[in-house]
Amino acid sequence: MSYSPIIQKTIEYIEKNLHEELSLESIAQFVGFSKYHYHRIFQKEVGVTVSEYIRYRRIANSANMLLYSDEKIIDIALYYRFETQESFTRSFKKYYNLPPGQYRKIIGKLTFQREEIMLENEKLLKGWNLSGSHPFNYQMGIDREHFHKGKASGFLKSVTVQSHGEFATMMQQFKAEKYLGKRVKLSGFIKSKDVDGFCGFWMRVDDSLGDVLQFDNMSDRQIVGSNEWNHYHIVLDIPENSKVIAFGVLLSGNGQVWIDELKFEEVDKQTPTTNIDFSAELLNEPTNLSFEE
């Protein structure tokens, strides 16, 4: 059974209610699970406990408010459900190694300096390349205002797109040898805005001739429109004759998509793959040649 839709439903609920009281019990009740079962599947799917997820998302949003608002630190702390400014400071230092006041002063100054060179963003994206059918109609870069955790996310957005048929991808590729014979999972968080085509992760496994062995672009679970951060994944087998693994985020048509906290991991064979089986679409023989059926 795939728990991904349930996890996405509850993450959406959490994101909308970060400034409200949230508990494992209330979130599990929201989807009709026992808190113990929900705790297990959330940690397995996302990699952290529910409470840890809520804590670091509140801290990440707090960091954004420190840099891009004039709200008092105590007001930010209380808004995100910290009982005191002292408890907020302790949690904040755990993730950013600075108390909130120093973070606002030091990182804020660096942030605005970086914004002066935003046109150089593509040079800052180590390992990532812009590709697709019309890459010149899109822009990729680093966003230090919108992020899921830490200090930045990657983004891909339309600039001069003319039709839904155009698409671009922010991607990278690497040698498959480390994963031969294994089943791997690409997971991470995606946020979207005004996507009128669709967006999502994609992953492809090629052999030495460039033939596609495994592929998924989330075409059967497309992300459209505007959505807050949520968790998505792709699972593919890496056959023994694999040579290259390519992956990235795809944006078709207009809009903008952000990605953060991408992760590769080996999973067991009980984890279902998301591979698109193109051979299943082939007929065994010609049919309806007289158009009477």
Side-chain angles (χ1 to χ4, degrees), residues 31-47:
V31 289
F33 278 26
S34 74
K35 66 178 183 179
Y36 303 106
H37 183 50
Y38 181 73
H39 172 81
R40 287 194 297 270
I41 65 172
F42 189 96
Q43 187 166 17
K44 180 180 179 181
E45 290 288 323
V46 183

Side-chain angles (χ1 to χ4, degrees), residues 65-87:
M65 289 186 71
L66 287 168
L67 296 182
Y68 296 98
S69 81
D70 296 323
E71 295 290 334
K72 295 179 180 179
I73 293 175
I74 182 61
D75 292 335
I76 295 174
L78 295 177
Y79 181 75
Y80 282 111
R81 313 298 294 189
F82 291 91
E83 294 183 357
T84 66
Q85 185 168 330
E86 289 72 23
S87 64

Side-chain angles (χ1 to χ4, degrees), residues 63-64 174:
N64 179 275
F174 58 95

Side-chain angles (χ1 to χ4, degrees), residues 80-133:
Y80 282 111
R81 313 298 294 189
F82 291 91
E83 294 183 357
T84 66
Q85 185 168 330
E86 289 72 23
S87 64
F88 173 61
T89 298
R90 285 195 300 271
S91 294
F92 194 91
K93 286 179 68 176
K94 176 183 176 181
Y95 291 100
Y96 291 99
N97 298 314
L98 287 171
Q102 289 187 32
Y103 181 87
R104 171 175 265 172
K105 182 178 180 180
I106 296 172
I107 305 301
K109 184 181 295 185
L110 292 175
T111 297
F112 291 121
Q113 288 175 350
R114 289 185 183 120
E115 286 177 351
E116 295 176 359
I117 57 170
M118 285 294 282
L119 293 177
E120 300 298 316
N121 255 342
E122 287 153 330
K123 297 179 182 178
L124 302 176
L125 280 174
K126 179 182 178 181
W128 294 91
N129 297 299
L130 183 62
S131 186
S133 67

Side-chain angles (χ1 to χ4, degrees), residues 46-59:
V46 183
V48 296
T49 64
V50 177
S51 59
E52 177 68 7
Y53 179 86
I54 293 171
R55 186 180 303 112
Y56 83 63
R57 285 297 295 138
R58 284 173 169 167
I59 290 296

Side-chain angles (χ1 to χ4, degrees), residues 194-242:
D194 299 332
V195 175
D196 63 6
F198 78 95
C199 65
F201 287 133
W202 65 272
M203 183 175 168
R204 190 184 70 236
V205 183
D206 297 340
D207 64 14
S208 59
L209 299 177
D211 292 331
V212 178
L213 304 176
Q214 294 268 295
F215 177 72
D216 180 21
N217 65 353
M218 291 181 55
S219 59
D220 58 348
R221 51 199 191 284
Q222 300 177 359
I223 303 170
V224 299
S226 299
N227 301 273
E228 270 304 325
W229 291 106
N230 216 322
H231 188 260
Y232 302 90
H233 73 264
I234 284 174
V235 178
L236 296 181
D237 287 324
I238 313 299
E240 293 290 349
N241 60 331
S242 302

